[in-house]
């Protein structure tokens, strides 16, 4: 920005560089499972519950992402009707921005001041919900994917 000016104005106003990385994605799809060997096949977490209502009703992050009342145990030794990969986890909306100012000291020497912000707008990026039906945390999100906003200042000297 303003790289065409010269003299003292260039020392203050010229040589700025703005950079950004924007990451946006939909969430991954997850499969609800039962937390017991309900089919009696010797494998936990492979049986699925029945969906009996709207699992997105009353959704709020992070403690009620999936409505537990929308699920029920199926008949004994019968696979539930919950589909494979039927529940979408929260997506990602992350902005990392940086501002650099370059100063030429001599023909061979350059200094660069760097201001960087990671997760600039401090959006919480939630992890996947617990989809193990029968667990006390079923439907709740217990993790985040990206840290809170972080600022970083750096000085770079090139010769």
């Amino acid at each position: 920005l303003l790289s065409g000016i010269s003299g003292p104005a260039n020392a203050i106003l010229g040589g700025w560089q703005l950079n950004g990385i924007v990451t946006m994605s939909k969430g991954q799809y997850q499969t609800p499972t039962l937390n017991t060997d309900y089919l009696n096949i010797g494998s936990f977490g492979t049986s699925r519950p029945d969906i009996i209502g709207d699992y997105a009703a009353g959704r709020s992050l992070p403690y009620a992402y999936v409505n537990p009342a929308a699920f029920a145990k199926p008949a004994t030794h019968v696979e539930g009707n919950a589909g494979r990969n039927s529940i979408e986890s929260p997506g990602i909306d992350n902005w990392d921005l940086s501002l650099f100012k370059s100063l030429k000291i001599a023909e061979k020497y350059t200094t660069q001041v760097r201001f960087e912000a990671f997760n600039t707008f401090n959006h919480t990026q939630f992890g996947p919900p617990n989809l193990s039906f029968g667990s006390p945390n079923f439907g709740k999100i217990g993790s985040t994917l990206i840290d809170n906003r972080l600022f970083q200042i750096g000085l770079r000297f090139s010769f």
Side-chain angles (χ1 to χ4, degrees):
L1 301 173
L2 301 173
S3 61
I5 60 176
S6 62
N10 182 44
I12 297 170
L13 301 174
W16 288 96
Q17 180 180 350
L18 179 64
N19 303 299
I21 298 173
V22 178
T23 306
M24 292 187 181
S25 81
K26 292 181 66 166
Q28 293 183 331
Y29 286 88
Q30 307 286 324
T31 304
T33 60
L34 295 170
N35 65 350
T36 61
D37 181 16
Y38 203 68
L39 294 177
N40 198 24
I41 58 174
S43 178
F44 290 88
T46 57
S47 305
R48 299 184 197 144
D50 279 334
I51 296 179
I52 58 171
D54 182 8
Y55 58 81
R59 177 173 284 173
S60 69
L61 293 171
Y63 301 113
Y65 187 76
V66 174
N67 177 12
F71 293 86
K73 280 189 176 181
T76 305
H77 306 298
V78 174
E79 183 69 45
N81 67 2
R84 181 177 176 274
N85 294 333
S86 58
I87 298 178
E88 184 180 1
S89 296
I92 294 175
D93 175 13
N94 187 56
W95 295 66
D96 297 335
L97 299 175
S98 61
L99 184 64
F100 299 169
K101 167 70 170 148
S102 295
L103 300 165
K104 193 166 201 159
I105 298 172
E107 188 174 326
K108 294 182 180 180
Y109 304 108
T110 306
T111 301
Q112 186 180 68
V113 179
R114 306 166 70 106
F115 303 97
E116 299 170 315
F118 303 97
N119 193 5
T120 304
F121 302 114
N122 207 25
H123 292 162
T124 304
Q125 314 294 331
F126 290 106
N130 178 332
L131 294 179
S132 179
F133 184 73
S135 164
N137 291 322
F138 179 74
K140 297 178 183 178
I141 295 175
S143 65
T144 57
L145 300 175
I146 298 174
D147 291 332
N148 294 333
R149 178 177 33 221
L150 177 70
F151 293 109
Q152 177 173 296
I153 299 173
L155 180 66
R156 176 180 171 178
F157 180 70
S158 301
F159 55 94

